[in-house]
Amino acid sequence: MNRFSYKNIYGSKEYNEFIESKRYVIDDKFLSETENYELPDDFSLEISTYEEERQSKSHKVFISAQKVTLKNADSTIYEYYCYYDHTRPFTEIIHHKNGHRYYPFHIDLYGISFLDVDTLEVYNYIPEGYEHDDKYRCGESFIVTDIHYDRESNLIAYGGCYWASPYDVMVGDFSDPLNFNPYLINIRNIFNCKYSIYFMKWEDNRLYVMCDNEIKSVSVEEIKKLIRKEKYNEKINVR
């Protein structure tokens, strides 16, 4: 693949224009369904999905968006919008080593956002991704589907994939949740997995995964070393 860019495009002119082109669908006349999810610590989610299908001159256009309301004890504490219709809401609250609690969420297919539910500060990250055609706002990057934080090491493992398959596990530094280190290590490459790899657990300063139907593990120190190396390589590439 071409070079990967970790640049955060959230809030850029191009990304904001993309959001504005879809915002109109958040209207009661386009409301499709409303779902509710229970979360730990007396939190809950209310997800309203809006959809419109219309015919352009040459083809059908389908627009979808979700309005997500995070509540605590039935009181609304935060709302956000997701403009990609295949994202699945996270239903966990991360209890961080720093004493704060964080809720992870998606505003797009790519990237990841974290809300400090104690201070209501938020950080949105959408990587520019792989080099791409200028007519697209960003290139392909890792799609996060599940999250596994380790309090002892302050590392975070993301399960997910690049598009549909194979399933991967990526790990990054999560010491500073509202300005987290975006450099991720693909655990598949450590073990040369041929097929999908799945997160199993953090235990005794090691990460355990299921790789090609075998349980394998790597030390926290080795992962941190690889993260530092990835960050250094990125700096060299962008000079």
Side-chain angles (χ1 to χ4, degrees):
M1 287 185 170
N2 296 324
R3 187 182 68 84
F4 185 89
S5 169
Y6 288 95
K7 177 183 176 181
N8 188 0
I9 65 167
Y10 176 79
S12 66
K13 178 183 176 182
E14 294 77 13
Y15 189 77
N16 288 342
E17 288 175 350
F18 161 74
I19 293 301
E20 287 302 321
S21 71
K22 292 175 175 285
R23 193 180 298 277
Y24 77 90
V25 81
I26 305 294
D27 188 293
D28 286 346
K29 66 183 178 182
F30 298 124
L31 180 62
S32 172
E33 64 175 341
T34 299
E35 299 175 283
N36 292 279
Y37 295 85
E38 295 299 320
L39 278 61
D41 298 349
D42 207 22
F43 286 95
S44 63
L45 286 180
E46 180 181 279
I47 303 176
S48 298
T49 299
Y50 301 83
E51 298 175 337
E52 185 204 20
E53 183 177 85
R54 52 187 168 82
Q55 182 70 44
S56 70
K57 292 182 179 179
S58 59
H59 61 281
K60 286 186 177 181
V61 177
F62 181 76
I63 302 294
S64 177
Q66 293 177 319
K67 176 183 176 182
V68 185
T69 304
L70 178 65
K71 300 179 179 182
N72 186 247
D74 294 327
S75 296
T76 297
I77 66 168
Y78 189 74
E79 288 184 346
Y80 66 90
Y81 298 91
C82 179
Y83 292 93
Y84 191 87
D85 63 318
H86 292 301
T87 55
R88 183 178 64 184
F90 297 107
T91 55
E92 63 258 58
I93 301 293
I94 295 174
H95 289 248
H96 198 273
K97 193 174 185 177
N98 65 13
H100 286 244
R101 298 173 298 170
Y102 298 90
Y103 175 66
F105 62 96
H106 278 301
I107 58 172
D108 202 323
L109 175 65
Y110 299 124
I112 188 72
S113 300
F114 288 95
L115 169 73
D116 184 327
V117 299
D118 297 305
T119 66
L120 300 186
E121 295 176 277
V122 66
Y123 181 65
N124 297 294
Y125 174 71
I126 299 176
E128 187 174 33
Y130 284 102
E131 292 180 345
H132 53 283
D133 190 300
D134 289 341
K135 67 182 178 181
Y136 297 108
R137 71 187 187 282
C138 62
E140 183 179 344
S141 60
F142 188 69
I143 302 168
V144 177
T145 60
D146 49 273
I147 293 176
H148 312 275
Y149 169 65
D150 179 43
R151 286 174 60 93
E152 295 303 314
S153 65
N154 263 337
L155 293 179
I156 192 164
Y158 299 111
C161 61
Y162 284 93
W163 286 109
S165 65
Y167 204 80
D168 280 319
V169 175
M170 307 286 279
V171 178
D173 182 359
F174 200 58
S175 301
D176 184 0
L178 297 186
N179 190 29
F180 60 84
N181 183 342
Y183 298 88
L184 301 179
I185 300 304
N186 192 330
I187 304 302
R188 158 189 299 281
N189 295 337
I190 295 176
F191 301 118
N192 295 315
C193 293
K194 294 181 180 179
Y195 306 108
S196 290
I197 178 172
Y198 299 95
F199 173 87
M200 291 189 67
K201 61 182 177 180
W202 293 101
E203 186 172 272
D204 298 329
N205 289 314
R206 300 187 70 83
L207 168 66
Y208 288 81
V209 295
M210 180 66 70
C211 170
D212 296 342
N213 294 319
E214 291 185 32
I215 298 175
K216 297 187 178 183
S217 70
V218 58
S219 71
V220 162
E221 186 52 43
E222 178 63 20
I223 294 174
K224 289 184 175 181
K225 185 188 303 182
L226 291 171
I227 291 173
R228 291 193 295 268
K229 182 179 179 180
E230 177 71 11
K231 188 173 184 179
Y232 173 77
N233 289 339
E234 168 71 4
K235 288 181 179 178
I236 294 298
N237 287 334
V238 298
R239 284 179 182 173

